Amino acid sequence: MRILLVEDHPQLAASVAQALRGAGWTVDVLHDGVAADLALASEDYALAILDIGLPRMDGFEVLARLRGRGKTLPVLMLTARGEVKDRVHGLNLGADDYLAKPFELSELEARVKALLRRSVLGGEQQQRCGALVYDLGTRRFSLRGDILNLTSREQAVLEAMIARPGRVMSKEQLAAQVFGLDEEASADAIEIYVHRLRKKLEGGGVRIVTFRGLGYLLEAVGD
Ligand code: CA
């Protein structure tokens, strides 16, 4: 799952991005409101973390424009401590949660997880496809009860697939979930990750089916 972080304070942005990447998410970092507005209009994010005081366009305006385009992804606003009117304004504009600076990275991570659980997994802690189970709390996949060892890329591909049960996902859609803005999104690389995932899922009662020219579908194998 891909997250957009918009924060103009360089050290804070770097430490938040590092923490989120360490937790296995793909994170794009932008430092101004106009760039954030463009990225949110063109890229596919599971969640955005939005500072309010930003160069060129403030976080409120970015949020208002995002909701104006009908996008429902969860938005976590970063506010200054004690600024009640900022929080209220943000929530009225369609923010889902806020965090006052300074904050602990562990709290930010917990809130991000909670927001993703609500939006992506419909409030469920676990997502299943046959014997494959994804736990959003631990962010681990298990197959027939055994934890699957996945690289962060493999994990991102499988997360994208299990979040959209029964839907064929194109290589481009998967690449959009796996690669950040500063990386070259490669549909060929997706083939490699799918190939590796198939090996890891082999014999586990779940498989990735190829639909030629369309993409991939994760499905349980009936016995
Ligand atoms: Ca700021």
Side-chain angles (χ1 to χ4, degrees):
M1 277 181 272
R2 200 168 151 196
I3 294 175
L4 178 65
L5 168 64
V6 192
E7 167 58 62
D8 58 323
H9 189 288
Q11 283 99 331
L12 179 60
S15 63
V16 169
Q18 190 185 23
L20 295 174
R21 286 180 185 132
W25 284 296
T26 301
V27 183
D28 289 335
V29 184
L30 295 173
H31 305 282
D32 77 78
V34 171
D37 183 52
L38 287 172
L40 285 164
S42 63
E43 305 293 315
D44 188 11
Y45 293 106
L47 178 139
I49 300 169
L50 201 52
D51 185 28
I52 293 173
L54 291 168
R56 298 171 78 201
M57 184 189 292
D58 74 19
F60 292 134
E61 179 70 19
V62 175
L63 175 63
R65 291 174 58 93
L66 174 74
R67 294 305 186 219
R69 288 190 293 270
K71 294 268 188 117
T72 58
L73 71 150
V75 173
L76 173 65
M77 302 287 293
L78 302 179
T79 69
R81 184 170 291 287
E83 292 291 329
V84 176
K85 67 175 190 335
D86 279 357
R87 283 180 231 158
V88 172
H89 189 41
L91 293 169
N92 281 337
L93 286 173
D96 298 272
D97 198 2
Y98 65 86
L99 200 51
K101 296 179 186 178
F103 49 82
E104 295 290 328
L105 290 173
S106 57
E107 183 175 6
L108 177 87
E109 208 183 307
R111 283 171 186 257
V112 165
K113 270 186 192 171
L115 287 170
L116 287 172
R117 186 162 60 231
R118 265 188 257 154
S119 69
V120 180
L121 299 184
E124 299 292 324
Q125 174 77 11
Q126 292 187 330
Q127 189 97 0
R128 295 168 181 277
C129 182
L132 180 69
V133 176
Y134 176 57
D135 186 310
L136 199 83
T138 60
R139 305 200 62 239
R140 303 297 303 258
F141 280 93
S142 56
L143 188 62
R144 296 195 195 279
D146 293 326
I147 296 289
L148 271 183
N149 272 317
L150 303 175
T151 65
S152 60
R153 302 289 207 202
E154 292 163 3
Q155 165 108 9
V157 170
L158 206 51
E159 273 181 352
M161 287 184 150
I162 205 162
R164 292 161 188 79
R167 249 181 63 188
V168 176
M169 294 203 65
S170 70
K171 280 185 226 171
E172 291 70 25
Q173 283 173 322
L174 289 169
Q177 296 293 318
V178 172
F179 299 102
L181 280 176
D182 50 352
E183 299 171 298
E184 201 175 331
S186 153
D188 290 344
I190 296 297
E191 276 182 33
I192 296 166
Y193 303 137
V194 167
H195 175 74
R196 292 188 193 145
L197 282 169
R198 278 190 171 130
K199 287 197 161 165
K200 293 185 180 182
L201 296 173
E202 218 161 59
V206 60
R207 66 181 171 197
I208 298 171
V209 185
T210 303
F211 287 82
R212 265 194 163 302
L214 290 175
Y216 303 104
L217 173 74
L218 182 70
E219 67 169 22
V221 184
D223 22 21

